[in-house]
């Protein structure tokens, strides 16, 4: 048992946000020093953060899960759909994609970690399961409510509908790093797809 | 002057398709043997294809241009818009993206070359300029005709319109290698975006 854990135990709190933050900042510090993600071991993170390995393993099952939380900590937060208007919830979801796109461009750290995570299949699979997949489910839930509210046609496959809204934003924010990401892009995409492009 | 060139000269043809094909097949053979693209030099291609370096340089300015033609040779061909119906031309463009997506998944060679080209900035820039950019211009041209014909609203930025049609297909064919690419996907995307998703 290391110091941080003894400290936690004394306060009777099973999880301490401060300890978690120190561990996540330890990973960030290593990456900022230029250490390749593949060489960031739990042992090295523990040493950097000044905690014992057990403290890390009590919170994360391994490197994969830890790196996902590091990304979540440095990326803009995901919005919470309000459930009142499908249109507004979709715009909020697309706006968070836009902000993530801007953050990935401006933060060398984020760009670097994301690129390295992609080349490590287990890490990428964990990121997909814990970050990307929940976003996808949240989008489908917003669309399902839209069909119930009468805001959305009920004769189009929702997986396709989801791609019709998010695809144009992903292409600009992820695939074309030089594409413009104007502030009104989310609204333009959502309203154009809802209304349709026929005159 | 090497044999191939002397042969060409005798027949009075400045460019020989057979020689070009042999050179392109030389690159393909090297990649299939597992040679990293970064180690595929003009000299090595010349030796593999049984031609002189000058024969290659007479046709391509360098490795970048040559690799672009190799990709073009192994990828499904781009369609020629007919100009009769914007809807049909858009479906044909999306269908060619779908076929390229399927080809990238089934051909290890294609997948491999594309991934390696992306990591070589000069090669990727050449591919972008000679392959991706012309496709983009062709799409914009189809949309411009659509506005003229009255098939498309004239109050939405055509760059955005282009992303509204191609984004959903790119997300499935490029970003999500496990996504389904059903035969009727191009038609579904084009018709859904044209009609709009409001009930």
């Amino acid at each position: 048992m290391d110091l941080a854990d003894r400290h936690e135990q004394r306060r009777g709190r099973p999880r301490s946000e401060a300890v978690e933050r120190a561990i996540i900042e330890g990973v960030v510090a290593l990456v900022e020093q230029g250490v390749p993600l593949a060489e960031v071991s739990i042992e090295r993170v523990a040493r950097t953060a000044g905690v014992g390995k057990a403290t890390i393993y009590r919170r994360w099952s391994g490197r994969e899960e830890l790196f996902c939380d590091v990304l979540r900590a440095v990326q803009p937060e995901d919005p919470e759909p309000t459930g009142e208007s499908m249109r507004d919830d979709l715009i909020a979801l697309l706006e968070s994609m836009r902000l993530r796109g801007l953050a990935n461009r401006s933060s060398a750290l984020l760009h670097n970690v994301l690129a390295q995570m992609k080349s490590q299949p287990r890490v990428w699979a964990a990121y997909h399961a814990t970050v990307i997949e929940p976003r996808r489910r949240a989008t489908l839930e917003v669309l399902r409510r839209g069909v119930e509210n009468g805001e959305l046609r009920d004769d189009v496959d929702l997986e396709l509908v989801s791609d019709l809204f998010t695809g144009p934003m992903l292409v600009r924010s992820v695939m074309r790093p030089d594409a413009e990401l104007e502030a009104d892009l989310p609204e333009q995409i959502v309203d154009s797809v809802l209304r349709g492009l026929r005159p």
Side-chain angles (χ1 to χ4, degrees), chain A:
Chain A
M1 187 177 289
D2 55 56
L3 264 175
D5 276 323
R6 247 181 248 142
H7 183 65
E8 272 179 57
Q9 218 182 34
R10 258 204 314 274
R11 290 184 304 172
R13 287 173 52 185
R15 286 166 73 91
S16 149
E17 276 179 32
V19 173
E20 281 183 13
R21 204 160 47 236
I23 294 165
I24 285 174
E25 277 164 10
V27 179
V28 170
L30 287 169
V31 174
E32 279 178 339
Q33 284 161 31
V35 180
L37 214 55
E39 290 172 24
V40 176
S41 62
I42 292 290
E43 185 160 3
R44 198 154 176 185
V45 175
R47 224 181 312 131
T48 310
V51 301
K53 286 205 304 184
T55 305
I56 299 181
Y57 279 120
R58 210 161 302 127
R59 289 165 177 81
W60 292 280
S61 64
R63 295 165 70 244
E64 292 79 19
E65 229 193 280
L66 171 57
F67 293 164
C68 289
D69 274 354
V70 171
L71 255 189
R72 254 193 295 243
V74 280
Q75 277 189 335
E77 223 172 314
D78 284 325
E80 196 63 59
T82 66
E84 282 168 32
S85 145
M86 179 193 74
R87 174 184 177 273
D88 293 351
D89 281 342
L90 282 175
I91 291 175
L93 285 168
L94 261 60
E95 172 64 6
S96 79
M97 292 168 69
R98 190 180 77 91
L99 293 178
R100 276 199 304 276
L102 290 172
N104 287 349
R105 291 173 191 194
S106 61
S107 159
L109 170 84
L110 208 47
H111 187 83
N112 193 356
V113 171
L114 263 177
Q116 292 192 61
M117 280 176 75
K118 271 185 202 161
S119 68
Q120 297 190 50
R122 281 185 58 189
V123 176
W124 192 243
Y127 181 69
H128 209 276
T130 62
V131 181
I132 295 181
E133 193 47 37
R135 274 181 204 148
R136 198 174 158 70
R137 276 200 302 271
T139 307
L140 288 174
E141 197 43 52
V142 165
L143 296 175
R144 228 167 269 129
R145 277 199 298 267
V147 173
E148 279 170 27
N149 299 348
E151 285 184 85
L152 188 70
R153 283 166 56 184
D154 60 3
D155 58 344
V156 185
D157 172 54
L158 288 191
E159 300 272 346
L160 178 64
V161 172
S162 170
D163 288 343
L164 293 177
F165 286 114
T166 60
M169 183 58 90
L170 282 173
V171 161
R172 292 205 178 191
S173 60
V174 179
M175 291 181 70
R176 287 209 306 268
D178 54 335
E180 274 198 75
L181 290 174
E182 310 96 320
D184 64 346
L185 193 56
E187 200 172 337
Q188 278 195 57
I189 292 174
V190 171
D191 286 338
S192 300
V193 176
L194 279 176
R195 177 178 153 184
L197 294 178
R198 275 218 192 91

